[in-house]
Amino acid sequence: VSVPEPTVSPAGTGTQLPALDSERLRSTLEEAAQIGRWRSPGVQRLALSDADRQMRDTFCAWCQDSGLEVRIDRVGNVFARRPGAGDEAAEPVMVGSHLDTQVAGGRYDGVLGVLAALEVVRWLEDYGVQTARPVEVVSWCNEEGARFRPPMLGSAVFAGGLSLEAALEELDDDGRRFGDELERIGYAGTARVPGPPPHAYFELHIEQDDLLERAGRDLGIVTSAYSARGMAVRLRGRTGHAGSTPMERRQDALVGAAEVIAGLDALGRQGGTRTRATATRLDAWPNRAGIIAGEALITLDYRHADNSGLNRMTQEVERLITDASARRGLEWSAEAVWEFGSGITFDPNLARLARDNAQRMGVEWLEMTSAAGHDAYWLATVAPTLILFVPCVGGVTHNEHEEIEFDRVLRGANVLAATVLEAAGHELKPLEER
Ligand SMILES: [Zn+2]
């Protein structure tokens, strides 16, 4: 039985190119998975850590070896450019994602999108394909927000959604400043921010749920996004002796926090598949044995498939906090710490291009809504943008056991290649003339 070789066939004149170099992509991913290795098979590459620096250095070396010109902007985003045949000032087609990870990070979240983009330009180089526009591989800084808030910080600054000054002043838990850490690892670049919007932006990312897997499809074309809000809630009670203070006289901030946390979880469950709600972090003070907690700081993260739903959730979250505080004799204050996804639209023309390519290449796709935040959200505010999802096993993510079926992911990456090629403009000859 002979299985036809997979090909990449962009729309147009029946042109076909051999597929991406699967072994090269696989080995590049494996090499990256060794950097910041943690709780095998996972990785931990917090933004601006030594592991992040090592990953960036390796990535930049790969880009330079492929003849790309590397540029770094003032907030630490890295761009690697392959020039186009046309006007040097033409806006590039940008493709990428992020190289940082969560504390319990996996081997694919983010890095897959950056290295698939690198594979696309290596593949253009392999076949001497001349695109009209430049193609740029990009790695956005501090996407996860696991060390510095907010998440998607680098792309937010690039798109003008957050000021450079505010970003540089962000502190981590140990009081280290974002700007100092960026200098320390050698990635405080000089390219200006906000950056010039690209002609188009593409991001390939693992789905981080199991809808593709269950539907038996290999590609998700993201057409909408959940609206998400992050909120820091401070509950203030009164410290007291854990033994001698009578129960009815306690103003226990931790008990109030527990009620808010459980109530938020219940709120998330009420909305079925359209809502998500979690308290992701709890800090208590003084957090010592023998003493009733006088203060608790909770970070809430809640999301809704549509924006009006998110606003309703906000009202319910506030009621939850008010009620718990009243029952426990606490004062409270709340501050929004991030918001993303509201009113985001992805480009219908790029989506159609990807659909047509998938169709032609025999890749089954599904239209999807993204519940996770991505750098593409910020890019979508300044340029035509498309996110492509590829399946991850069991939807396990932000976890060291993140896993993919490589062959399925490769199909999505080949659709990415075809779609990038078209968006960048090319003069490929039809097969019969080659
Ligand atoms: Zn990610």
Side-chain angles (χ1 to χ4, degrees):
V1 182
S2 84
V3 179
E5 282 291 303
T7 53
V8 172
S9 50
T13 51
T15 305
Q16 291 188 326
L17 279 172
L20 297 177
D21 186 334
S22 60
E23 278 319 305
R24 183 171 56 198
L25 177 57
R26 192 200 299 266
S27 68
T28 309
L29 278 165
E30 274 170 15
E31 215 173 308
Q34 303 308 314
I35 301 175
R37 204 159 168 181
W38 180 81
R39 277 200 198 166
S40 183
V43 292
Q44 184 182 90
R45 288 193 300 261
L46 293 177
L48 314 189
S49 64
D50 290 346
D52 186 19
R53 165 169 43 194
Q54 196 189 340
M55 182 69 249
R56 286 160 172 264
D57 290 351
T58 304
F59 168 64
C60 289
W62 283 333
C63 290
Q64 278 154 350
D65 289 349
S66 301
L68 307 180
E69 188 190 313
V70 174
R71 154 181 113 250
I72 299 157
D73 73 13
R74 296 188 63 194
V75 75
N77 299 315
V78 181
F79 306 85
R81 185 184 185 95
R82 183 175 188 265
D87 181 2
E88 233 177 87
E91 301 92 342
V93 169
M94 211 180 253
V95 199
S97 192
H98 59 95
L99 294 171
D100 68 322
T101 73
Q102 282 289 341
V103 174
R107 289 167 294 166
Y108 304 103
D109 178 353
V111 60
L112 174 68
V114 178
L115 298 184
L118 175 62
E119 174 54 33
V120 170
V121 293
R122 284 172 162 177
W123 165 83
L124 293 172
E125 205 58 32
D126 288 345
Y127 298 101
V129 178
Q130 191 59 261
T131 54
R133 290 180 178 277
V135 177
E136 284 190 357
V137 181
V138 55
S139 167
W140 303 108
C141 184
N142 190 56
E143 191 275 345
E144 295 288 6
R147 183 174 173 203
F148 295 99
R149 290 191 319 201
M152 298 170 273
L153 179 148
S155 50
V157 173
F158 178 86
L162 177 70
S163 77
L164 175 65
E165 293 68 29
L168 296 179
E169 293 306 322
E170 284 295 330
L171 300 177
D172 72 4
D173 281 355
D174 302 319
R176 282 175 299 201
R177 208 177 141 264
F178 182 96
D180 295 339
E181 286 293 281
L182 191 60
E183 293 270 358
R184 185 186 70 82
I185 67 161
Y187 280 84
T190 54
R192 72 180 173 87
V193 286
H199 175 67
Y201 175 69
F202 293 95
E203 184 160 351
L204 181 90
H205 204 283
I206 54 169
E207 180 202 346
Q208 306 184 284
D209 193 357
D210 64 352
L211 301 180
L212 285 173
E213 194 175 72
R214 286 194 280 135
R217 309 278 172 96
D218 292 333
L219 180 69
I221 296 176
V222 178
T223 51
S224 58
Y226 276 62
S227 297
R229 216 164 267 174
M231 197 187 270
V233 178
R234 192 177 294 276
L235 302 173
R236 277 189 211 83
R238 201 171 56 171
T239 60
H241 196 292
S244 62
T245 311
M247 294 306 287
E248 68 277 10
R249 242 188 273 155
R250 297 181 182 214
Q251 292 168 264
D252 188 335
L254 259 184
V255 176
E259 291 184 359
V260 172
I261 292 167
L264 185 68
D265 178 77
L267 185 64
R269 288 166 195 275
Q270 279 162 23
T273 59
R274 295 180 59 75
T275 55
R276 310 275 194 277
T278 319
T280 53
R281 179 169 181 168
L282 170 64
D283 296 285
W285 185 83
N287 216 26
R288 291 287 182 274
I291 184 163
I292 296 163
E295 201 165 313
L297 181 65
I298 334 167
T299 306
L300 311 185
D301 178 325
Y302 57 96
R303 309 177 187 215
H304 197 286
D306 70 63
N307 197 32
S308 57
L310 187 78
N311 291 329
R312 282 197 306 279
M313 279 181 98
T314 298
Q315 290 169 0
E316 290 173 58
V317 167
E318 282 175 3
R319 190 172 320 129
L320 200 62
I321 303 167
T322 312
D323 291 353
S325 300
R327 277 194 300 273
R328 300 295 167 183
L330 309 173
E331 286 175 16
W332 67 274
S333 59
E335 174 197 7
V337 280
W338 69 79
E339 174 148 354
F340 56 79
S342 307
I344 290 288
T345 50
F346 300 109
D347 189 69
N349 293 320
L350 296 183
R352 183 175 40 75
L353 218 52
R355 266 198 314 270
D356 291 351
N357 286 327
Q359 190 89 28
R360 204 172 8 262
M361 292 160 67
V363 178
E364 290 205 88
W365 51 271
L366 202 62
E367 279 194 3
M368 310 192 81
T369 299
S370 174
H374 295 291
D375 293 304
Y377 290 17
W378 279 112
L379 271 292
T381 66
V382 294
T385 292
L386 183 67
I387 304 177
L388 296 176
F389 277 167
V390 287
C392 64
V393 176
V396 175
T397 187
H398 284 192
N399 180 296
E400 62 271 26
H401 296 292
E402 212 168 69
E403 192 50 87
I404 59 170
E405 280 179 57
F406 187 74
D407 290 344
R408 299 185 70 180
V409 164
L410 194 60
R411 288 184 202 117
N414 277 307
V415 174
L416 172 75
T419 313
V420 167
L421 185 50
E422 265 183 87
H426 59 85
E427 289 181 15
L428 291 185
K429 294 191 176 69
L431 256 195
E432 54 274 18
E433 294 174 27
R434 285 166 72 88

